Amino acid sequence: MVMDPAYIAQIKNLMEWEAARTAPPEGFPHLPDLPAGRYTSQEYYDLEQQHIWKKSWLFAAHIDEVPEPGCFMKWENTGDPIIIVHGMDGKVRAFYNTCRHRGAPVVTQEKGRSPRLMCGYHNWTYKTDGELVGVPDKQDFTGLDMSCRSLIPVKCERLGNLIFVNFDDEAMPLKEWLGPVCDDLEEFQLDKIRLASRYSFDLNCNWKVAMEANMEVYHVPFIHPDTVSPLVDHRRNVNTMFANGHARMLAPAPADTDREHTRAIDSPPEWQEIDTVGEFGRTCTQSYTLFPNWVSPVSNYFVPPLVFWPTGLNTTRLELITMALDWGDGPAPDLWTVPDETKPNGRNMSQIILEDTQFGEMIQKSLESDGFKGVPLSYQEARIYSFHQTCDKMIGLDNVPEHLAVEQVIGDEWVYPNDPRVAQMEQLEAAE
């Protein structure tokens, strides 16, 4: 669903209002310092593992990775061994990769295709819908009810060609979780875009340190002086916060920028255009944070998410993914990485990603020193504070120790569809 003209006009006016303001919007709360331990405390990390990663919808795969009935793939990005299976009935499902007999992995290949899933330990066999259908020497098991021994499912839903999982059986549906963001993303044809590339890189810092570098444009003039800064006017950026920790940024190009190059990342001319994308996706840097770990600019040529996975308290795996419409017989598009035989999978991160990740390890060392007491955030960095508020809500406000908690100061009045900036802008326009 393309944004309606009235909303587009409102956002454009907000861009100019943001550039002209001399202080945060009236009534915007003071943001207390984020406690240092949120990046360095094993106690807080364990709470994240127990609650955030067990209750959130997580991007797991693209349908191109399990394209046909019978295709399966292993997925272990949160530590739990999972199988994603394209069932013989056409439905995509997820299961714990754990045989109901002695707990051996049912699947040991990274990917494959079979009408049945067979555990190699004792050949217990399952259909692609998880049903147990084969047990060797079944007569030797007393009272074995095969109907109660199916593979244990993990909640799995699709958003177009994208596959998400959630370990919480009681989780709200994926589209409800995404809310208005789901409507925004319709114009990018998620049901048609293909998986062009997917590479992982290990970073030596807490996952939030790595992710937060992509959740504000305050740093752009300093970290990206020659790459992003010439194409993004950080003073005219408009942030929007949504329920459940999601967020959007819309940053126009500087006024004097060549209109043929108006986004932070240019599109090779040979790419097929997504013709349903609206004005902002064509002329601005339009980017979404999907809680907890997805950040992606989007445009009329690509959907290229950066996905951050904690592998330890101070280590992170960064997935760099490019999705685009069919590229035919040409080379698959890859927005975020470049050839480098000395790096994992023969690829290295692009210049922009190298700039964003260059300080991660050094930052982490500083965070772990006695010189780090907490994080003061500006209005420009409000998306980060809102993200931390949602982290604590997912954990449970009563479960977070006081010395690690953030104050819930950004209220619903600042969450879409509410936006006090609009009334303030209109009052200023009326007074002129």
Side-chain angles (χ1 to χ4, degrees), residues 70-87:
C71 288
F72 60 84
M73 63 177 284
K74 290 169 61 178
W75 187 82
E76 299 182 359
N77 281 3
T78 62
D80 290 285
I82 303 298
I83 328 169
I84 297 170
V85 184
H86 192 149

Side-chain angles (χ1 to χ4, degrees), residues 210 213-214 219 223-224 351-360:
N214 297 275
H219 73 284
I223 298 298
H224 307 292
Q351 183 63 33
I352 291 175
I353 303 301
L354 286 173
E355 289 169 354
D356 273 329
T357 58
Q358 63 182 307
F359 291 124

Side-chain angles (χ1 to χ4, degrees), residues 289-323:
T289 303
L290 306 186
F291 187 88
N293 65 332
W294 158 305
V295 180
S296 180
V298 286
S299 82
N300 52 318
Y301 288 95
F302 48 69
V303 176
L306 291 73
V307 191
F308 300 83
W309 303 101
T311 54
L313 174 59
N314 54 12
T315 56
T316 299
R317 181 159 295 128
L318 167 59
E319 283 197 301
L320 300 175
I321 301 166
T322 302
M323 294 181 280

Side-chain angles (χ1 to χ4, degrees), residues 147-163:
S147 68
C148 298
R149 303 286 179 174
S150 298
L151 294 177
I152 296 177
V154 174
K155 203 172 183 68
C156 180
E157 294 185 17
R158 288 176 60 178
L159 186 66
N161 287 336
L162 283 60
I163 301 166

Side-chain angles (χ1 to χ4, degrees), residues 35 79 95 292 304-305 394:
F95 304 99
M394 292 295 292

